[in-house]
Amino acid sequence: MKFLITGGAGFIGSAVVRELIDSTSHEVVNLDKLTYAGNLDSLESVSDHPRYVFEHADICDAEALARIFSVHQPDIVMHLAAESHVDRSIDGPEAFIETNVMGTCRLLEASRRYWKQLALVNPAKAETFRFHHISTDEVFGDLAEDDPGFTEQTPYAPSSPYSASKAGSDHLVRAWQRTFGLPTVMTNCSNNYGPYHFPEKLIPLTILNALAGKPLPVYGNGHQVRDWLYVEDHARALIKVACEAPLGESYNIGGHNEQRNIDVVHLICETLEALEALVPQKPQGLAHYRDLITFVTDRPGHDLRYAIDADKIARDLGWRPRETFESGLRKTVQWYLDNPEWWQRIRDGRYQGERLGADI
Ligand code: NAD
């Protein structure tokens, strides 16, 4: 099959593209605008592969979308392109509405026109066509300490401009399915971490600041709780849903792994200490990486806790994550140690983020 992946140069999209090329025989068209978050370096290992094509385009550009659908005739659309960083949505919400809401609308319309046309010329291909929308658990708002995790039935209650714009995109996808019959599936996932993660996010920022002897910023008291999923586990789940889920279904995807932010930072410090032989020498005068932890003013409207009930995808599709938090974090730290050329280029050049806290 031919997959059209939007946002394939981003953190999760690039993991999906690598997984599709490395572990399946499917073809991939990667449609990406290459914003600050898009990085073709993350696709170096597959960029010359005969089953991979890159299309530099904006999902808001209806003409470009029509051309790409017409030229490539995809079997499955996986929609990951988005403005995705909560702190940036607080600094400037409009880009989030433009890409996440309007861009999703244009992509749905381009998909619908293509699918209608397909029904006339190739009904068998139209029958199996599907649009997979990739979203976040943040659309559900936050939870108190003892609340059960979000299920697929949890009402939407987004808190930030980012999560509100993603909630808007989810509603559009449901509406296109109900109103126009567009064959859609949807997933809502918890926080991802792993290789090729943009260095303004909590886990890579903590690893890289620790190595440089810089402060490790933690919002408020660090007691906010997130569920963490290793990005390659997420990529495998997404491909399974795209290929196997019944139409119209939605699935929550999580790592069965709730952690307080402060505990994540401590665990990274301990992992670096444990890998001492592989880590460049500690900055002079620093006894422990944890001594670099610095509490900073909390983010406005900061959600206290997210937790995912991922039973449905386990029950219906037999998916469970392979990595524990300890194994995934160790792999992640190791990857950042082994690949300085990837993150140094971002930090030296395009990295704009002298932010107070770390995006989570
Ligand atoms: P990312 O910011 O790393 O990547 C987004 C990609 O989309 C980039 O390559 C960027 O260039 C591209 N893009 C942005 N605007 C575009 C436009 N107008 N047209 C075409 N391409 C555009 O994001 P990510 O962390 O990889 O997240 C991917 C998707 O998964 C998003 O929809 C996000 O909401 C969702 N999600 C992310 C997480 C997470 O923890 N990162 C968790 C759950 C869901």
Side-chain angles (χ1 to χ4, degrees), residues 72-97:
H72 295 289
Q73 306 272 311
D75 298 289
I76 294 186
V77 176
M78 289 177 81
H79 176 33
L80 295 103
E83 289 291 340
S84 72
H85 293 201
V86 177
D87 285 334
R88 287 176 186 263
S89 83
I90 295 169
D91 292 348
E94 283 194 17
F96 286 71
I97 307 305

PDB file of all heavy atoms in Angstrom, residues 72-97:
ATOM      1  N   HIS A  72       0.107  10.920  -6.463  1.00  0.00           N
ATOM      2  CA  HIS A  72       0.557   9.748  -5.691  1.00  0.00           C
ATOM      3  C   HIS A  72      -0.531   8.712  -5.424  1.00  0.00           C
ATOM      4  O   HIS A  72      -0.217   7.565  -5.086  1.00  0.00           O
ATOM      5  CB  HIS A  72       1.187  10.204  -4.371  1.00  0.00           C
ATOM      6  CG  HIS A  72       2.437  11.002  -4.573  1.00  0.00           C
ATOM      7  ND1 HIS A  72       3.605  10.424  -5.020  1.00  0.00           N
ATOM      8  CD2 HIS A  72       2.706  12.321  -4.427  1.00  0.00           C
ATOM      9  CE1 HIS A  72       4.549  11.365  -5.121  1.00  0.00           C
ATOM     10  NE2 HIS A  72       4.014  12.523  -4.764  1.00  0.00           N
ATOM     11  N   GLN A  73      -1.810   9.101  -5.517  1.00  0.00           N
ATOM     12  CA  GLN A  73      -2.906   8.119  -5.361  1.00  0.00           C
ATOM     13  C   GLN A  73      -2.733   7.226  -4.115  1.00  0.00           C
ATOM     14  O   GLN A  73      -2.624   5.993  -4.225  1.00  0.00           O
ATOM     15  CB  GLN A  73      -2.964   7.223  -6.616  1.00  0.00           C
ATOM     16  CG  GLN A  73      -3.083   7.992  -7.913  1.00  0.00           C
ATOM     17  CD  GLN A  73      -4.534   8.285  -8.270  1.00  0.00           C
ATOM     18  OE1 GLN A  73      -5.380   7.401  -8.242  1.00  0.00           O
ATOM     19  NE2 GLN A  73      -4.833   9.520  -8.583  1.00  0.00           N
ATOM     20  N   PRO A  74      -2.709   7.844  -2.915  1.00  0.00           N
ATOM     21  CA  PRO A  74      -2.445   7.048  -1.702  1.00  0.00           C
ATOM     22  C   PRO A  74      -3.595   6.093  -1.341  1.00  0.00           C
ATOM     23  O   PRO A  74      -4.751   6.339  -1.684  1.00  0.00           O
ATOM     24  CB  PRO A  74      -2.294   8.114  -0.609  1.00  0.00           C
ATOM     25  CG  PRO A  74      -3.075   9.284  -1.108  1.00  0.00           C
ATOM     26  CD  PRO A  74      -2.932   9.273  -2.603  1.00  0.00           C
ATOM     27  N   ASP A  75      -3.237   5.022  -0.606  1.00  0.00           N
ATOM     28  CA  ASP A  75      -4.240   4.100  -0.063  1.00  0.00           C
ATOM     29  C   ASP A  75      -4.638   4.504   1.350  1.00  0.00           C
ATOM     30  O   ASP A  75      -5.754   4.245   1.788  1.00  0.00           O
ATOM     31  CB  ASP A  75      -3.664   2.674  -0.012  1.00  0.00           C
ATOM     32  CG  ASP A  75      -3.317   2.177  -1.398  1.00  0.00           C
ATOM     33  OD1 ASP A  75      -4.248   1.914  -2.170  1.00  0.00           O
ATOM     34  OD2 ASP A  75      -2.121   2.088  -1.724  1.00  0.00           O
ATOM     35  N   ILE A  76      -3.679   5.073   2.082  1.00  0.00           N
ATOM     36  CA  ILE A  76      -3.925   5.469   3.478  1.00  0.00           C
ATOM     37  C   ILE A  76      -3.297   6.839   3.714  1.00  0.00           C
ATOM     38  O   ILE A  76      -2.158   7.077   3.305  1.00  0.00           O
ATOM     39  CB  ILE A  76      -3.290   4.449   4.453  1.00  0.00           C
ATOM     40  CG1 ILE A  76      -4.014   3.092   4.326  1.00  0.00           C
ATOM     41  CG2 ILE A  76      -3.308   4.953   5.893  1.00  0.00           C
ATOM     42  CD1 ILE A  76      -3.569   2.043   5.331  1.00  0.00           C
ATOM     43  N   VAL A  77      -4.056   7.732   4.353  1.00  0.00           N
ATOM     44  CA  VAL A  77      -3.493   9.007   4.794  1.00  0.00           C
ATOM     45  C   VAL A  77      -3.299   8.916   6.297  1.00  0.00           C
ATOM     46  O   VAL A  77      -4.227   8.548   7.021  1.00  0.00           O
ATOM     47  CB  VAL A  77      -4.443  10.184   4.476  1.00  0.00           C
ATOM     48  CG1 VAL A  77      -3.900  11.494   5.037  1.00  0.00           C
ATOM     49  CG2 VAL A  77      -4.693  10.293   2.980  1.00  0.00           C
ATOM     50  N   MET A  78      -2.086   9.217   6.767  1.00  0.00           N
ATOM     51  CA  MET A  78      -1.864   9.331   8.223  1.00  0.00           C
ATOM     52  C   MET A  78      -1.521  10.791   8.493  1.00  0.00           C
ATOM     53  O   MET A  78      -0.491  11.288   8.031  1.00  0.00           O
ATOM     54  CB  MET A  78      -0.732   8.405   8.672  1.00  0.00           C
ATOM     55  CG  MET A  78      -1.138   6.943   8.630  1.00  0.00           C
ATOM     56  SD  MET A  78       0.225   5.854   9.073  1.00  0.00           S
ATOM     57  CE  MET A  78       0.156   5.945  10.854  1.00  0.00           C
ATOM     58  N   HIS A  79      -2.382  11.456   9.263  1.00  0.00           N
ATOM     59  CA  HIS A  79      -2.260  12.912   9.431  1.00  0.00           C
ATOM     60  C   HIS A  79      -1.608  13.250  10.773  1.00  0.00           C
ATOM     61  O   HIS A  79      -2.259  13.223  11.823  1.00  0.00           O
ATOM     62  CB  HIS A  79      -3.661  13.528   9.327  1.00  0.00           C
ATOM     63  CG  HIS A  79      -3.696  14.992   9.563  1.00  0.00           C
ATOM     64  ND1 HIS A  79      -2.659  15.841   9.207  1.00  0.00           N
ATOM     65  CD2 HIS A  79      -4.652  15.795  10.126  1.00  0.00           C
ATOM     66  CE1 HIS A  79      -2.973  17.084   9.545  1.00  0.00           C
ATOM     67  NE2 HIS A  79      -4.168  17.077  10.116  1.00  0.00           N
ATOM     68  N   LEU A  80      -0.317  13.576  10.687  1.00  0.00           N
ATOM     69  CA  LEU A  80       0.427  13.967  11.899  1.00  0.00           C
ATOM     70  C   LEU A  80       0.850  15.428  11.881  1.00  0.00           C
ATOM     71  O   LEU A  80       1.289  15.951  12.910  1.00  0.00           O
ATOM     72  CB  LEU A  80       1.688  13.107  12.064  1.00  0.00           C
ATOM     73  CG  LEU A  80       1.465  11.626  12.315  1.00  0.00           C
ATOM     74  CD1 LEU A  80       1.729  10.815  11.056  1.00  0.00           C
ATOM     75  CD2 LEU A  80       2.334  11.117  13.453  1.00  0.00           C
ATOM     76  N   ALA A  81       0.790  16.095  10.725  1.00  0.00           N
ATOM     77  CA  ALA A  81       1.286  17.479  10.653  1.00  0.00           C
ATOM     78  C   ALA A  81       0.506  18.354  11.628  1.00  0.00           C
ATOM     79  O   ALA A  81      -0.725  18.337  11.643  1.00  0.00           O
ATOM     80  CB  ALA A  81       1.130  18.016   9.233  1.00  0.00           C
ATOM     81  N   ALA A  82       1.217  19.087  12.439  1.00  0.00           N
ATOM     82  CA  ALA A  82       0.560  19.975  13.404  1.00  0.00           C
ATOM     83  C   ALA A  82       1.593  20.917  13.993  1.00  0.00           C
ATOM     84  O   ALA A  82       2.790  20.642  13.959  1.00  0.00           O
ATOM     85  CB  ALA A  82      -0.073  19.151  14.529  1.00  0.00           C
ATOM     86  N   GLU A  83       1.103  22.032  14.509  1.00  0.00           N
ATOM     87  CA  GLU A  83       1.889  22.792  15.479  1.00  0.00           C
ATOM     88  C   GLU A  83       1.662  22.056  16.789  1.00  0.00           C
ATOM     89  O   GLU A  83       0.513  21.817  17.174  1.00  0.00           O
ATOM     90  CB  GLU A  83       1.397  24.235  15.560  1.00  0.00           C
ATOM     91  CG  GLU A  83       1.729  25.079  14.344  1.00  0.00           C
ATOM     92  CD  GLU A  83       3.219  25.365  14.205  1.00  0.00           C
ATOM     93  OE1 GLU A  83       3.954  25.254  15.211  1.00  0.00           O
ATOM     94  OE2 GLU A  83       3.659  25.694  13.097  1.00  0.00           O
ATOM     95  N   SER A  84       2.747  21.692  17.498  1.00  0.00           N
ATOM     96  CA  SER A  84       2.567  20.692  18.551  1.00  0.00           C
ATOM     97  C   SER A  84       3.094  21.081  19.936  1.00  0.00           C
ATOM     98  O   SER A  84       2.965  20.283  20.856  1.00  0.00           O
ATOM     99  CB  SER A  84       3.253  19.389  18.114  1.00  0.00           C
ATOM    100  OG  SER A  84       4.650  19.549  18.182  1.00  0.00           O
ATOM    101  N   HIS A  85       3.684  22.270  20.064  1.00  0.00           N
ATOM    102  CA  HIS A  85       4.330  22.562  21.347  1.00  0.00           C
ATOM    103  C   HIS A  85       3.478  23.536  22.181  1.00  0.00           C
ATOM    104  O   HIS A  85       3.202  24.653  21.747  1.00  0.00           O
ATOM    105  CB  HIS A  85       5.724  23.147  21.129  1.00  0.00           C
ATOM    106  CG  HIS A  85       6.684  22.141  20.530  1.00  0.00           C
ATOM    107  ND1 HIS A  85       8.042  22.278  20.624  1.00  0.00           N
ATOM    108  CD2 HIS A  85       6.470  21.000  19.865  1.00  0.00           C
ATOM    109  CE1 HIS A  85       8.622  21.253  20.016  1.00  0.00           C
ATOM    110  NE2 HIS A  85       7.681  20.473  19.544  1.00  0.00           N
ATOM    111  N   VAL A  86       3.094  23.081  23.372  1.00  0.00           N
ATOM    112  CA  VAL A  86       2.150  23.845  24.201  1.00  0.00           C
ATOM    113  C   VAL A  86       2.676  25.262  24.496  1.00  0.00           C
ATOM    114  O   VAL A  86       1.945  26.246  24.354  1.00  0.00           O
ATOM    115  CB  VAL A  86       1.881  23.097  25.528  1.00  0.00           C
ATOM    116  CG1 VAL A  86       0.974  23.921  26.427  1.00  0.00           C
ATOM    117  CG2 VAL A  86       1.260  21.737  25.258  1.00  0.00           C
ATOM    118  N   ASP A  87       3.936  25.390  24.881  1.00  0.00           N
ATOM    119  CA  ASP A  87       4.465  26.716  25.234  1.00  0.00           C
ATOM    120  C   ASP A  87       4.383  27.679  24.051  1.00  0.00           C
ATOM    121  O   ASP A  87       4.077  28.858  24.207  1.00  0.00           O
ATOM    122  CB  ASP A  87       5.911  26.613  25.709  1.00  0.00           C
ATOM    123  CG  ASP A  87       5.994  26.048  27.123  1.00  0.00           C
ATOM    124  OD1 ASP A  87       5.023  26.209  27.878  1.00  0.00           O
ATOM    125  OD2 ASP A  87       7.027  25.441  27.458  1.00  0.00           O
ATOM    126  N   ARG A  88       4.662  27.170  22.849  1.00  0.00           N
ATOM    127  CA  ARG A  88       4.583  28.019  21.658  1.00  0.00           C
ATOM    128  C   ARG A  88       3.137  28.432  21.403  1.00  0.00           C
ATOM    129  O   ARG A  88       2.877  29.509  20.862  1.00  0.00           O
ATOM    130  CB  ARG A  88       5.151  27.296  20.440  1.00  0.00           C
ATOM    131  CG  ARG A  88       6.669  27.194  20.487  1.00  0.00           C
ATOM    132  CD  ARG A  88       7.226  26.386  19.337  1.00  0.00           C
ATOM    133  NE  ARG A  88       8.655  26.187  19.484  1.00  0.00           N
ATOM    134  CZ  ARG A  88       9.593  26.928  18.892  1.00  0.00           C
ATOM    135  NH1 ARG A  88       9.248  27.898  18.079  1.00  0.00           N
ATOM    136  NH2 ARG A  88      10.876  26.706  19.104  1.00  0.00           N
ATOM    137  N   SER A  89       2.168  27.581  21.771  1.00  0.00           N
ATOM    138  CA  SER A  89       0.753  27.930  21.551  1.00  0.00           C
ATOM    139  C   SER A  89       0.315  29.032  22.503  1.00  0.00           C
ATOM    140  O   SER A  89      -0.650  29.743  22.228  1.00  0.00           O
ATOM    141  CB  SER A  89      -0.145  26.695  21.683  1.00  0.00           C
ATOM    142  OG  SER A  89      -0.470  26.408  23.036  1.00  0.00           O
ATOM    143  N   ILE A  90       1.013  29.156  23.622  1.00  0.00           N
ATOM    144  CA  ILE A  90       0.697  30.232  24.566  1.00  0.00           C
ATOM    145  C   ILE A  90       1.334  31.537  24.056  1.00  0.00           C
ATOM    146  O   ILE A  90       0.726  32.596  24.098  1.00  0.00           O
ATOM    147  CB  ILE A  90       1.184  29.853  25.982  1.00  0.00           C
ATOM    148  CG1 ILE A  90       0.392  28.625  26.470  1.00  0.00           C
ATOM    149  CG2 ILE A  90       1.028  31.026  26.956  1.00  0.00           C
ATOM    150  CD1 ILE A  90       0.928  27.976  27.739  1.00  0.00           C
ATOM    151  N   ASP A  91       2.535  31.438  23.493  1.00  0.00           N
ATOM    152  CA  ASP A  91       3.210  32.620  22.927  1.00  0.00           C
ATOM    153  C   ASP A  91       2.486  33.145  21.686  1.00  0.00           C
ATOM    154  O   ASP A  91       2.429  34.343  21.447  1.00  0.00           O
ATOM    155  CB  ASP A  91       4.646  32.269  22.499  1.00  0.00           C
ATOM    156  CG  ASP A  91       5.542  31.950  23.696  1.00  0.00           C
ATOM    157  OD1 ASP A  91       5.107  32.221  24.834  1.00  0.00           O
ATOM    158  OD2 ASP A  91       6.646  31.421  23.483  1.00  0.00           O
ATOM    159  N   GLY A  92       1.941  32.225  20.850  1.00  0.00           N
ATOM    160  CA  GLY A  92       1.325  32.653  19.587  1.00  0.00           C
ATOM    161  C   GLY A  92       0.300  31.631  19.117  1.00  0.00           C
ATOM    162  O   GLY A  92       0.624  30.733  18.342  1.00  0.00           O
ATOM    163  N   PRO A  93      -0.965  31.774  19.565  1.00  0.00           N
ATOM    164  CA  PRO A  93      -1.969  30.737  19.276  1.00  0.00           C
ATOM    165  C   PRO A  93      -2.395  30.639  17.809  1.00  0.00           C
ATOM    166  O   PRO A  93      -2.850  29.590  17.374  1.00  0.00           O
ATOM    167  CB  PRO A  93      -3.171  31.135  20.136  1.00  0.00           C
ATOM    168  CG  PRO A  93      -2.745  32.301  20.964  1.00  0.00           C
ATOM    169  CD  PRO A  93      -1.468  32.833  20.434  1.00  0.00           C
ATOM    170  N   GLU A  94      -2.259  31.727  17.022  1.00  0.00           N
ATOM    171  CA  GLU A  94      -2.919  31.716  15.705  1.00  0.00           C
ATOM    172  C   GLU A  94      -2.372  30.664  14.757  1.00  0.00           C
ATOM    173  O   GLU A  94      -3.128  30.043  14.000  1.00  0.00           O
ATOM    174  CB  GLU A  94      -2.856  33.110  15.069  1.00  0.00           C
ATOM    175  CG  GLU A  94      -3.884  34.005  15.718  1.00  0.00           C
ATOM    176  CD  GLU A  94      -4.134  35.286  14.962  1.00  0.00           C
ATOM    177  OE1 GLU A  94      -3.776  35.368  13.775  1.00  0.00           O
ATOM    178  OE2 GLU A  94      -4.689  36.206  15.587  1.00  0.00           O
ATOM    179  N   ALA A  95      -1.061  30.453  14.803  1.00  0.00           N
ATOM    180  CA  ALA A  95      -0.472  29.439  13.913  1.00  0.00           C
ATOM    181  C   ALA A  95      -1.070  28.070  14.208  1.00  0.00           C
ATOM    182  O   ALA A  95      -1.190  27.221  13.317  1.00  0.00           O
ATOM    183  CB  ALA A  95       1.040  29.394  14.099  1.00  0.00           C
ATOM    184  N   PHE A  96      -1.477  27.866  15.446  1.00  0.00           N
ATOM    185  CA  PHE A  96      -2.053  26.567  15.842  1.00  0.00           C
ATOM    186  C   PHE A  96      -3.447  26.389  15.248  1.00  0.00           C
ATOM    187  O   PHE A  96      -3.827  25.298  14.832  1.00  0.00           O
ATOM    188  CB  PHE A  96      -2.083  26.449  17.377  1.00  0.00           C
ATOM    189  CG  PHE A  96      -0.717  26.197  17.942  1.00  0.00           C
ATOM    190  CD1 PHE A  96       0.250  27.196  17.931  1.00  0.00           C
ATOM    191  CD2 PHE A  96      -0.373  24.950  18.436  1.00  0.00           C
ATOM    192  CE1 PHE A  96       1.530  26.952  18.401  1.00  0.00           C
ATOM    193  CE2 PHE A  96       0.902  24.693  18.911  1.00  0.00           C
ATOM    194  CZ  PHE A  96       1.850  25.700  18.899  1.00  0.00           C
ATOM    195  N   ILE A  97      -4.210  27.486  15.235  1.00  0.00           N
ATOM    196  CA  ILE A  97      -5.560  27.408  14.657  1.00  0.00           C
ATOM    197  C   ILE A  97      -5.422  27.214  13.148  1.00  0.00           C
ATOM    198  O   ILE A  97      -6.124  26.401  12.539  1.00  0.00           O
ATOM    199  CB  ILE A  97      -6.368  28.703  14.959  1.00  0.00           C
ATOM    200  CG1 ILE A  97      -6.351  29.006  16.469  1.00  0.00           C
ATOM    201  CG2 ILE A  97      -7.790  28.596  14.428  1.00  0.00           C
ATOM    202  CD1 ILE A  97      -6.842  27.887  17.347  1.00  0.00           C
TER     203      ILE A  97
END
